[in-house]
Amino acid sequence: MKAQYGQVLLVDNGGFFPEQDDYQDAAWFLMDAMKVLGVDAVGVSEKELRYGRSFLLVNYKRSQAPLVCANLFERATKKTLVAPYVIKKVGTVTTGIFGLTSEKVDLGSSRDSLVIEDPATAAKRTVDELHKKGATVVVLLSMLGKVESEDLVTAVDGIDVVICGRNIPLLQKGRTIKATVACYGGEQGQYIGRTVVNLDPARKMTSGENDTYILGPEVGEKPEILTLVKSFEDSFNDKLRKKEKEKAVKVEQDRLNGGATTEQAVDHYLGAEFCQRCHKPEYDQWKTTKHSRAWQTLVDAKKDAVVECIGCHVVGYKQPGGFQTAEDASRLANVQCEVCHGMGTQHEAYPTQARRITAATCQKCHTQNNSPTFDFAVYQPHILHKAPDHMPELPKSQARERMLGAGK
Ligand code: HEC
Ligand code: HEC
Ligand code: HEC
Ligand code: HEC
């Protein structure tokens, strides 16, 4: 289409988060992929809130995927959760694209923090604003359902194109409703719709038409995206397999222990790879500290199987979800985030715990015996994720001699 037409916009209607509970990885991967594909705007539905509001927001920020929704508001700030619209200039045409989500849905865990405004009110306001800002063509990404989308574009003037979403039966040929070209795409990323808009000299729509195509094998793959997808799938599948295995082992253990436990409800460690997804800068800084190499120290000293040595060089030794055996090394070796911040499953409580990382947190490991030169005021600046203005010099560590014995 890009080869055939000079001025092309690519949009996605939203509703793309997976159905499964533990498929967060697929959700953020899709957001990244849309960015790579150069999607110009992406709609939002309650599906995108299924892993919680912060998950969506963190990945929205991180991936910079161009999410739009004009009627989804934060209750506290009265601001829209994501951008209400985007304005794109392609060639000579300035197009405004906005999103609407249905009022009739359950927002799950975000129920209390978000509100959905009446779609028609939001549409009128947004269309006006887009026109004022110079958009001559207006596109609506609608998650309202078929009848509701059609009613809305009939009631609100100025919407040139609507992409209908939410359980929409596929219509290969779109329709014109009053003055709006409507697209009824299929599901599950198997189809792509093409809406061709004819413009007058003022760049306003005079007419348009829509067709939907199935993305069959004849369409071909985009090599760089295929590589990205394959490598994602491989690591994701590995992870799922591992999880399945862990579950099976757990069930077996529970059986041996005579009955099920409530492990899932018990707080546990998750590992730094999990935290990294949302806290990349902190992770990168942590990588530069000795904490991130503490396990290698034991391996080099051939002490990685010595029970007395492991505890302070890993995460949560012998605790729920913590380091149990060398098999856990890939995920839980080294002095990781949760050693200082607490179990990842208590993440919600971190903000209230902030600035409570005190000398006592460190002295669980930096004991008189193993870290005789430890002084919180001197050591702490060296592990802070943002370098402080003053960085006191660390004393020469005596740990090596102490722990490996003199002469080694
Ligand atoms: C899905 C994204 C996500 C993941 C994964 C995640 N965090 Fe966070 N974290 C956040 C967000 C968002 C905040 C900001 C506070 C909020 O709104 O809850 C935050 C806040 C924090 C804070 C600061 C609290 C404060 O306000 O001072 C710490 C510390 C933290 N996270 C550590 C971790 C650690 C350690 C892990 C891994 C166990 C982790 N996070 C995993 C998203 C995430
Ligand atoms: C789970 C145990 C553990 C906790 C908790 C811990 N550390 Fe450490 N720390 C270590 C180990 C082990 C090393 C040595 C790593 C290596 O080099 O193999 C280390 C090394 C260090 C070093 C580098 C010292 C040098 O030789 O240059 C600094 C600085 C440090 N820790 C600061 C802190 C501070 C500050 C805290 C508390 C906020 C803290 N650590 C909490 C285990 C811990
Ligand atoms: C009570 C916690 C604890 C235990 C147990 C422990 N370590 Fe450590 N280890 C530390 C801390 C803390 C440091 C960093 C101390 C410092 O630099 O001030 C450290 C540092 C080291 C270092 C120096 C790393 C470097 O940067 O050069 C070596 C080597 C080491 N440990 C090996 C061992 C061995 C071997 C054992 C078992 C005999 C062991 N540790 C048991 C906490 C512990
Ligand atoms: C040795 C202890 C230690 C480790 C390990 C550690 N942090 Fe921190 N982190 C701190 C301290 C200290 C602060 C400053 C705030 C405070 O005192 O609570 C902090 C603050 C933060 C904050 C709040 C933003 C900021 O910079 O103030 C985030 C987010 C965070 N850490 C994430 C992580 C993640 C993710 C990891 C692992 C990759 C990690 N931390 C590992 C000690 C640690």
Side-chain angles (χ1 to χ4, degrees):
M1 286 183 198
K2 282 190 170 153
Q4 197 179 346
Y5 300 91
Q7 305 173 136
V8 177
L9 275 176
L10 178 60
V11 299
D12 187 288
N13 224 27
F16 60 95
F17 269 30
E19 300 287 346
Q20 297 88 337
D21 279 342
D22 43 7
Y23 273 43
Q24 282 95 336
D25 286 1
W28 60 255
F29 175 78
L30 281 166
M31 291 178 81
D32 287 350
M34 286 194 198
K35 185 70 193 166
V36 176
L37 277 168
V39 178
D40 293 293
V42 184
V44 176
S45 77
E46 76 285 1
K47 263 198 183 173
E48 280 69 55
L49 286 162
R50 57 163 300 137
Y51 302 126
R53 169 186 153 276
S54 354
F55 177 87
L56 180 65
L57 281 185
V58 164
N59 286 294
Y60 172 47
K61 255 199 198 150
R62 190 188 48 74
S63 67
Q64 310 259 301
L67 300 183
V68 290
C69 191
N71 69 333
L72 182 59
F73 287 84
E74 300 258 23
R75 199 182 287 277
T77 62
K78 306 208 161 44
K79 291 195 177 128
T80 53
L81 181 70
V82 299
Y85 55 78
V86 294
I87 296 180
K88 286 267 164 168
K89 181 146 193 192
V90 265
T92 60
V93 190
T94 305
T95 305
I97 311 160
F98 74 109
L100 289 176
T101 204
S102 172
E103 296 168 288
K104 298 177 188 158
V105 297
D106 183 4
L107 294 176
S109 63
S110 308
R111 217 174 283 127
D112 297 333
S113 54
L114 300 178
V115 273
I116 300 175
E117 185 191 17
D118 163 54
T121 311
K124 281 190 196 107
R125 181 185 59 241
T126 310
V127 171
D128 278 352
E129 208 168 317
L130 289 171
H131 284 157
K132 271 196 202 112
K133 292 198 169 164
T136 56
V137 176
V138 171
V139 176
L140 165 59
L141 306 180
S142 166
M143 270 295 172
L144 303 178
K146 180 171 181 289
V147 176
E148 291 85 348
S149 300
E150 292 172 346
D151 287 352
L152 185 119
V153 299
T154 310
V156 179
D157 290 335
I159 299 169
D160 299 299
V161 174
V162 61
I163 319 290
C164 302
R166 178 180 302 285
N167 307 322
I168 299 295
L170 172 71
L171 289 185
Q172 241 146 32
K173 194 100 196 115
R175 295 183 187 151
T176 299
I177 296 160
K178 217 169 124 189
T180 307
V181 183
C183 162
Y184 305 83
E187 293 193 319
Q188 314 211 321
Q190 291 170 340
Y191 299 86
I192 191 162
R194 182 188 68 179
T195 304
V196 179
V197 172
N198 302 310
L199 304 168
D200 67 11
R203 299 289 161 226
K204 291 199 171 127
M205 187 175 91
T206 51
S207 64
E209 58 180 351
N210 165 269
D211 298 277
T212 294
Y213 299 90
I214 186 157
L215 292 169
E218 70 284 359
V219 175
E221 303 282 4
K222 193 175 166 98
E224 59 270 39
I225 300 287
L226 186 64
T227 313
L228 207 68
V229 171
K230 281 257 175 301
S231 74
F232 169 75
E233 281 177 347
D234 287 348
S235 69
F236 188 51
N237 289 339
D238 270 357
K239 209 164 142 183
L240 287 183
R241 267 196 295 274
K242 222 174 138 194
K243 233 182 175 167
E244 280 307 309
K245 210 172 122 191
E246 277 167 16
K247 247 193 224 154
V249 170
K250 184 85 203 30
V251 169
E252 182 60 14
Q253 274 171 356
D254 288 347
R255 201 183 55 77
L256 293 174
N257 291 341
T261 64
T262 51
E263 168 79 296
Q264 285 210 305
V266 174
D267 279 314
H268 55 273
Y269 292 100
L270 301 169
E273 291 312 309
F274 174 74
C275 320
Q276 179 200 2
R277 289 192 218 147
C278 305
H279 299 297
K280 185 82 166 57
E282 285 84 7
Y283 180 89
D284 289 345
Q285 181 279 334
W286 169 77
K287 271 290 192 192
T288 68
T289 67
K290 284 195 174 180
H291 283 152
S292 73
R293 297 188 288 272
W295 179 250
Q296 194 56 43
T297 295
L298 293 187
V299 173
D300 290 346
K302 299 198 169 35
K303 299 284 186 186
D304 51 307
V306 178
V307 175
E308 299 78 69
C309 300
I310 296 173
C312 304
H313 288 249
V314 300
V315 178
Y317 190 43
K318 298 285 178 209
Q319 291 175 53
F323 190 105
Q324 313 289 337
T325 70
E327 287 209 331
D328 300 320
S330 65
R331 200 166 58 88
L332 295 164
N334 300 317
V335 181
Q336 303 183 6
C337 330
E338 291 163 286
V339 156
C340 292
H341 290 291
M343 288 174 172
T345 51
Q346 294 169 349
H347 188 271
E348 297 281 284
Y350 285 180
T352 52
Q353 284 168 8
R355 322 289 160 222
R356 288 220 203 116
I357 295 176
T358 61
T361 314
C362 321
Q363 281 161 336
K364 281 181 274 177
C365 305
H366 288 267
T367 57
Q368 229 350 289
N369 237 339
N370 294 299
S371 188
T373 53
F374 182 77
D375 172 354
F376 187 66
V378 176
Y379 273 55
Q380 194 248 22
H382 290 268
I383 56 95
L384 284 180
H385 310 306
K386 291 178 207 91
D389 296 337
H390 173 63
M391 186 71 95
E393 205 172 311
L394 277 175
K396 191 183 164 332
S397 167
Q398 297 165 10
R400 234 190 140 69
E401 296 71 27
R402 294 232 173 191
M403 286 185 243
L404 294 176
K408 287 209 183 155

